[in-house]
Amino acid sequence: MGEKKIKLSDLNKQLADMGVKSLEGIKIEGDIELEIETGAGGVGPLFAYYFGAEVAKVAVQLVNMAKAFGYPIDSLLQPVAVAGAIAPAEIKAAAPEIPAFKIPDTLAKAKFEVGTDATWKHQIQEVQLGATKAEGGSRGHVIKIGGEKAMPFFYDAAMPNRPVVTMDVFDMPIGMAKAVKMHYEEVMNDPAEWAKKCVNEFGADMITTHLISTDPLIKDTSAKEAVKVVEDVLQAVDVPICIGGSGNPEKDVEVLTRASETAQGERALIASASLNLDWEAIGRSCAENNNVCLSWTQLEINAQKELDRKLIKVAGVPRDSIVIDPTTAALAYGLDFAYSNMERIRIGALKGDQELAFPMSSGTTNAWGVREAWMIGSPNKEDSDWGDRMLRGPIWEILTGFSLAMAGVDIFMMMNPIAVAYLQEITQSLMGLIEAKTPDTTNWITTEA
Amino acid sequence: MKESSPLNLYKFLPKTNCGECGDETCMAFAAGLIARERTIDECKPLFDPEKQKKYGKKLAQLKEVLAPEVSLIYLGTGDQQIKVGGEDVMYRHQMTYFNKPPFAYDVTDAMDEADLVERVKLIHSWKKFYIGNWENVEMVAVRSVTGDPDKFAKCVKKVMENTDKPLILCSFDPKVLKAGLELAAEKRPLIYAANKDNWKEVAQLAYDYKVPVTLSSPFDLDGLKSLAITFREMGLKDLVLDPGTAPNGEKLQESLQNFIKLRRAAVDEGQKDFNYPVMSIPLNAWFTTDDPVRGAYWESVLSATFVIRGADIMIRHSMEPHSVMPDMHLRFNIYTDPRSPVKVKPGLNKVGKPDETSPIYLTTNFALTYYTVESDLGSNEIDSYLLAVDTDGIGVQASVAGGQITPSKIKDSFAEAGVDFEKTSHRSFILPGMCARFSGELDELYKYKVKALVGPEDSGRIPGWMKTQWPPKWEEE
Ligand code: SF4
């Protein structure tokens, strides 16, 4: 290999004589000898790493100038006099080549390809909610949820059914955030009217009647008395319905089994069976009365599997009559747990876990429990302005529901009509169901918004 | 990095167990690398110039193995530097998402100066307290509406006078971009964008000014890949991809699917030639409406769509609190590390400088609840004690329902924390409103010598509650 030695100081002088501006301001101390070896290479990042960017810049100049001076240059720079520290062989091996910056004439040809997820081999159970007269119920139409073969909105497989919203109705007036209450004030004492309003004005796909007055700590309404409200709602609207208890684990068993009998044959969603109450009684009554059992667990995938298994094997609930509620923790209040719990459940199901392969439900109304949804302003004085809570609240419910739609939820229990409308619009848009002329956004930079 | 076994990283390490990294063994350090708790530069011997003969090659190999599946780029400089991309998983539960997509809010060179300064200040100062930290806006996107390089430069200058947050310089005109770069290049802004028409000029700018560059090819992934490969071959590797963000209709569905495809190609399929961070532009929501409420809502919804499925950086418009706040929280939740603990240590803590007359509050040891109550007490200057009851990190409402918090557990927790109510002037403590039903049983447990007061359901209402309910009134004994 031929070698030539250049003294930096000499070169710098020569460069200065030639008026090379870019070296000005760089002091070169001492006589650095550069050994320029013929062979492959250039000034690589490792060089810069050891000697600093300044010296590297000088070196680049040197290489270029040296070329001009006729030195044999297609070479790797091997500074030997600077630090005996460098192991030449390693540097040679590690320093990648940096070609000169050159803009090609045309763009490279390229084709983008990507596959689907081959591990998704199984389908989520499809569940029918509601039953028509011909089917032994009294609903005007039925709703089907579930049946997915891929994560929601993925291109792997189209979603067979769109997400649906069931709107909350209570059997007595309850405290609500202002942004919700304003829509229901005049129907608060009449669950049937309340249900009608939700269906006729707010586009509810279904109605959930919560029999909260049965709670022994609230009114302790008897099960027999309470289910009259279910009858009223069944009369008032012809959409499929859902029936909820008060959350009291003892009383709910009686209330929900009774409600299930009242709604016999309607394929009503009974909310809910859980591990801390008599799930078997509730499951059985769903199976016997042709209703659908909501299987509710608290953010725990193994508990969900256990309850689903028990409902099927012990209580005899058919697979096509189970919907699962793995718990909705709201935006800014544990949404991360709820989201990942549901995403894991759904992916597990697509991969073949039969104990998880059911449509999912979300108690999206929980969003209203989060202070950011309903408080007038921030309790923390240093926060930026929280703005108008009447605008803030609905979006809390939208984002809580929508993010869980992305994780696989099929049915949403909701309250605020604005939130319902947005949730339906975005989920249906992402399914390609909403025809809209997409504006040309190419020149978004210059738009005067 | 796809590697999940420390053994496979261990083989690249010096294996001397020298301890310089703070771990006792190289194997422990390798495990730290897998968990992303340690970074390679913490193993100093690997970088020792004297040992490159031995380690140089291993170091290079290790770097390759450790490289994130979605490549990582840096915007901004100094303490305003932001990481973009660097993701390793498709779904957050598979490990975690690492670098939350910065929100860049737009300003334009058509704004009059006062409006511009006001908006920049708003963007710069926006903050919200959440789980022990402040959330902020990260970036400003400067749009050239006028197309005039001088006006753009003036605008960039004004923005830089009012914030040190990193910028995105937005124009398809290389002359305009150049005018901005002259002023801002040192701060390492992102430029937006090169497309199929201007790519040569913009590539030259990216090279000359050493800045990261966005490649824009709306709804054409072949075109996007072609740009990316061309730039990479020129040696320009700090790239961001803009696959297009349609605000509605079927094109919106296509947009989301493109984001999913890009993330999947990078992460699941390891397509190393096309694994750059991806940009979403929810600002486009404003093309669909003139209604400010509808615009902000829809922008929020679009942001959520892409925060969840693969955007690494975003350009947004609405600074309305009802749009910024929920999106900030959503991003925070999605980017929270699922591996990190969500509990605080159970026990009694002081807020401010409490004494024997100060109220004693209690809550669960779910980190979110605990920090919320603590900040509500602290920011309202309520000197007090706060007991975190061990509910295994479950929140108040859920632990009441699930039995993780009960009257006797509360009594035990106070006893364990060594609280002697006889030594307080008020002989009471304050229950969260959600535990209201415990009050009777607690009074009994304490034989009516200690009062279990029922506080508000939300700790944000504590200041108001204190005004009417504190201190408690005892009947004359
Ligand atoms: S510093 Fe490097 S060589 Fe030393 S123990 Fe840590 S990993 Fe091993």
Side-chain angles (χ1 to χ4, degrees):
Chain A
M1 247 185 243
E3 273 180 20
K4 294 241 176 176
K5 285 184 182 177
I6 310 167
K7 273 189 178 174
L8 246 189
S9 55
D10 291 347
L11 247 182
N12 201 31
K13 230 177 277 156
Q14 289 186 31
L15 295 175
D17 290 345
M18 297 169 67
V20 177
K21 292 251 164 48
S22 54
L23 281 183
E24 276 175 15
I26 297 174
K27 246 204 210 143
I28 296 172
E29 285 173 50
D31 247 2
I32 300 172
E33 249 181 70
L34 295 176
E35 185 183 90
I36 298 172
E37 220 180 274
T38 50
V43 180
L46 266 185
F47 183 94
Y49 179 77
Y50 291 115
F51 296 98
E54 294 294 64
V55 179
K57 251 187 241 164
V58 176
V60 173
Q61 293 290 346
L62 289 180
V63 172
N64 292 339
M65 291 313 296
K67 249 185 211 165
F69 296 155
Y71 283 93
I73 271 306
D74 295 324
S75 60
L76 178 74
L77 285 169
Q78 293 282 354
V80 285
V82 183
I86 316 289
E90 287 297 325
I91 297 264
K92 219 186 275 177
E97 194 175 329
I98 290 211
F101 185 67
K102 190 174 167 300
I103 298 173
D105 291 334
T106 53
L107 285 168
K109 287 240 174 323
K111 179 116 193 79
F112 175 70
E113 273 166 20
V114 67
T116 53
D117 193 320
T119 67
W120 298 347
K121 294 203 178 86
H122 301 266
Q123 188 172 9
I124 306 305
Q125 175 69 49
E126 188 171 83
V127 172
Q128 176 179 328
L129 296 166
T132 59
K133 261 209 184 80
E135 295 166 316
S138 65
R139 306 296 83 201
H141 64 276
V142 304
I143 286 176
K144 286 185 176 161
I145 58 173
E148 297 91 340
K149 292 178 178 164
M151 285 301 285
F153 319 119
F154 275 52
Y155 58 89
D156 301 56
M159 289 167 79
N161 298 300
R162 67 172 178 84
V164 300
V165 175
T166 177
M167 290 182 79
D168 293 331
V169 166
F170 294 84
D171 68 346
M172 60 178 274
I174 57 151
M176 291 177 193
K178 200 171 163 207
V180 178
K181 197 181 195 168
M182 59 181 278
H183 300 284
Y184 301 114
E185 242 143 358
E186 76 285 0
V187 293
M188 201 87 90
N189 283 302
D190 188 340
E193 284 304 310
W194 192 340
K196 268 191 206 159
K197 186 166 190 186
C198 289
V199 173
N200 298 337
E201 289 179 35
F202 303 145
D205 298 307
M206 290 176 55
I207 293 296
T208 303
T209 308
H210 296 275
L211 305 175
I212 56 162
S213 76
T214 58
D215 189 325
L217 294 178
I218 300 178
K219 279 191 183 168
D220 205 12
T221 310
S222 70
K224 189 175 158 210
E225 188 64 25
V227 296
K228 287 186 183 155
V229 174
V230 175
E231 281 167 19
D232 292 346
V233 170
L234 281 169
Q235 285 291 322
V237 294
D238 74 348
V239 297
I241 65 157
C242 171
I243 305 163
S246 67
N248 180 298
E250 284 86 41
K251 186 79 177 277
D252 269 2
V253 178
E254 189 196 342
V255 171
L256 292 177
T257 48
R258 186 100 191 199
S260 176
E261 285 158 20
T262 305
Q264 190 179 39
E266 296 286 4
R267 293 198 65 75
L269 183 60
I270 304 297
S272 40
S274 71
L275 286 168
N276 64 4
L277 50 62
D278 187 352
W279 47 265
E280 191 180 343
I282 293 176
R284 274 194 198 292
S285 106
C286 288
E288 281 160 14
N289 295 293
N290 194 22
N291 286 316
V292 179
C293 186
L294 187 64
S295 166
W296 172 51
T297 57
Q298 282 180 288
L299 298 172
E300 168 55 50
I301 197 166
N302 290 317
Q304 188 69 58
K305 283 164 66 84
E306 181 190 342
L307 180 57
D308 296 348
R309 187 168 59 238
K310 286 177 165 166
L311 287 172
I312 296 166
K313 298 232 166 97
V314 183
V317 183
R319 288 190 65 85
D320 69 359
S321 299
I322 291 178
V323 173
I324 60 180
D325 175 3
T327 291
T328 290
L331 177 62
Y333 209 80
L335 178 73
D336 40 335
F337 304 110
Y339 176 87
S340 281
N341 187 45
M342 289 174 173
E343 195 164 70
R344 283 179 65 198
I345 286 175
R346 180 51 55 90
I347 290 173
L350 293 170
K351 288 183 175 180
D353 190 330
Q354 287 296 299
E355 289 168 355
L356 298 172
F358 301 100
M360 283 195 281
S361 168
S362 155
T364 313
T365 311
N366 285 352
W368 293 96
V370 179
R371 57 162 59 183
E372 280 85 351
W374 58 266
M375 257 188 201
I376 293 177
S378 177
N380 190 317
K381 291 178 180 131
E382 286 168 61
D383 271 2
S384 291
D385 181 17
W386 277 21
D388 182 355
R389 66 167 162 167
M390 302 302 275
L391 294 173
R392 211 189 318 121
I395 204 153
W396 226 264
E397 192 176 355
I398 298 170
L399 292 200
T400 298
F402 174 52
S403 48
L404 298 179
M406 300 281 264
V409 167
D410 303 273
I411 176 167
F412 299 86
M413 304 199 177
M414 299 181 73
M415 283 193 93
N416 182 288
I418 300 163
V420 171
Y422 274 89
L423 183 103
Q424 287 176 330
E425 184 179 354
I426 184 66
T427 51
Q428 289 169 32
S429 292
L430 293 178
M431 291 176 74
L433 297 178
I434 293 188
E435 266 183 53
K437 203 178 134 19
T438 304
D440 181 6
T441 54
T442 324
N443 289 317
W444 68 269
I445 295 175
T446 54
T447 182
E448 298 250 17
Chain B
M1 163 167 69
K2 284 250 194 316
E3 193 49 66
S4 59
S5 156
L7 256 179
N8 292 335
L9 299 188
Y10 175 74
K11 64 183 183 209
F12 298 116
L13 292 171
K15 299 180 197 151
T16 57
N17 301 334
C18 75
E20 253 193 83
C21 55
D23 278 325
E24 270 173 29
T25 63
C26 295
M27 189 58 94
F29 183 75
L33 287 173
I34 294 284
R36 274 65 161 188
E37 281 153 7
R38 314 301 307 263
T39 54
I40 184 176
D41 47 300
E42 291 174 283
C43 173
K44 293 279 170 342
L46 269 185
F47 292 85
D48 185 341
E50 290 186 30
K51 295 184 184 148
Q52 284 314 301
K53 187 164 191 170
K54 222 162 137 193
Y55 300 145
K57 202 165 162 197
K58 286 184 170 172
L59 175 60
Q61 287 171 324
L62 185 55
K63 277 186 175 165
E64 205 165 292
V65 176
L66 290 174
E69 301 301 310
V70 174
S71 67
L72 173 65
I73 70 165
Y74 293 86
L75 303 179
T77 54
D79 57 3
Q80 293 289 349
Q81 191 176 64
I82 301 171
K83 289 180 184 174
V84 175
E87 302 304 334
D88 270 338
V89 294
M90 190 80 197
Y91 308 101
R92 64 187 289 279
H93 66 263
Q94 292 172 319
M95 165 156 293
T96 183
Y97 293 155
F98 291 97
N99 302 305
K100 58 187 180 191
F103 287 171
Y105 285 87
D106 75 323
V107 298
T108 82
D109 64 355
M111 294 171 87
D112 73 45
E113 193 177 309
D115 290 347
L116 176 67
V117 171
E118 190 192 344
R119 184 161 165 91
V120 173
K121 284 188 169 154
L122 179 68
I123 295 167
H124 182 87
S125 63
W126 193 92
K127 61 176 182 174
K128 164 101 178 34
F129 191 77
Y130 186 52
I131 321 190
N133 276 308
W134 290 99
E135 281 298 290
N136 300 101
V137 171
E138 291 80 11
M139 300 185 76
V140 180
V142 188
R143 298 196 277 128
S144 164
V145 168
T146 64
D148 178 343
D150 292 338
K151 290 211 172 103
F152 189 66
K154 244 182 95 190
C155 179
V156 169
K157 187 154 175 280
K158 251 293 118 1
V159 173
M160 289 175 71
E161 281 167 17
N162 288 285
T163 184
D164 55 354
K165 298 208 184 267
L167 306 183
I168 305 180
L169 305 177
C170 307
S171 175
F172 288 116
D173 181 346
K175 285 197 283 303
V176 171
L177 288 175
K178 187 174 165 64
L181 284 169
E182 280 295 324
L183 294 161
E186 272 181 17
K187 299 270 188 202
R188 207 173 158 76
L190 171 67
I191 50 179
Y192 182 100
N195 61 19
K196 64 180 186 335
D197 303 318
N198 69 5
W199 62 275
K200 287 185 181 174
E201 292 91 338
V202 176
Q204 188 67 51
L205 288 174
Y207 177 76
D208 289 345
Y209 290 93
K210 302 282 168 273
V211 289
V213 56
T214 314
L215 310 176
S216 174
S217 174
F219 317 113
D220 173 14
L221 295 181
D222 290 342
L224 194 58
K225 184 170 177 181
S226 144
L227 278 168
I229 287 177
T230 309
F231 273 62
R232 203 175 54 117
E233 280 171 0
M234 285 186 264
L236 300 171
K237 288 174 186 158
D238 287 339
L239 307 175
V240 171
L241 308 174
D242 168 23
T245 304
N248 64 359
E250 283 176 22
K251 272 260 185 274
L252 171 55
Q253 180 192 28
E254 184 186 333
S255 299
L256 173 61
Q257 294 185 346
N258 283 344
F259 276 72
I260 293 169
K261 285 177 182 174
L262 289 171
R263 176 61 68 90
R264 199 177 246 172
V267 171
D268 281 351
E269 299 190 359
Q271 298 190 18
K272 294 279 179 226
D273 57 348
F274 196 37
N275 67 343
Y276 301 99
V278 183
M279 173 188 281
S280 161
I281 309 177
L283 171 145
N284 286 341
W286 294 88
F287 278 90
T288 65
T289 180
D290 292 326
D291 174 351
V293 173
R294 159 96 194 158
Y297 269 47
W298 199 247
E299 182 174 4
S300 215
V301 167
L302 290 185
S303 296
T305 309
F306 296 101
V307 162
I308 291 171
R309 292 279 178 242
D312 298 291
I313 180 169
M314 298 194 146
I315 297 181
R316 300 171 36 113
H317 175 69
S318 172
M319 276 301 293
E320 294 293 339
H322 54 265
S323 172
V324 186
M325 256 172 74
D327 290 339
M328 280 281 175
H329 280 293
L330 180 72
R331 185 181 68 165
F332 189 103
N333 285 162
I334 295 296
Y335 277 77
T336 295
D337 189 340
R339 300 167 303 167
S340 65
V342 293
K343 309 176 207 176
V344 297
K345 223 172 114 229
L348 191 74
N349 297 299
K350 291 179 183 175
V351 182
K353 293 198 185 78
D355 57 24
E356 74 282 354
T357 65
S358 307
I360 302 171
Y361 285 90
L362 73 91
T363 185
T364 72
N365 77 326
F366 178 34
L368 175 59
T369 322
Y370 180 83
Y371 286 123
T372 305
V373 179
E374 190 194 60
S375 112
D376 289 340
L377 292 168
S379 80
N380 289 292
E381 286 153 22
I382 300 171
D383 292 325
S384 50
Y385 295 94
L386 178 57
L387 178 77
V389 178
D390 187 358
T391 57
D392 212 19
I394 296 174
V396 182
Q397 197 169 18
S399 53
V400 170
Q404 287 87 356
I405 192 167
T406 59
S408 54
K409 188 145 184 192
I410 290 172
K411 186 165 184 247
D412 292 347
S413 303
F414 274 123
E416 265 166 50
V419 177
D420 181 357
F421 289 101
E422 285 304 320
K423 289 194 179 135
T424 65
S425 66
H426 48 78
R427 285 181 288 136
S428 68
F429 60 89
I430 299 142
L431 285 169
M434 306 253 187
C435 296
R437 64 165 80 151
F438 293 170
S439 68
E441 199 176 332
L442 275 161
D443 286 343
E444 258 171 58
L445 281 174
Y446 280 107
K447 306 203 165 56
Y448 300 93
K449 295 220 159 67
V450 176
K451 258 196 195 351
L453 306 171
V454 178
E457 290 207 350
D458 191 297
S459 59
R461 288 186 164 170
I462 286 175
W465 182 90
M466 293 276 287
K467 272 184 205 136
T468 57
Q469 311 282 321
W470 185 260
K473 285 169 205 62
W474 283 89
E475 312 279 308
E476 286 305 318
E477 281 159 74

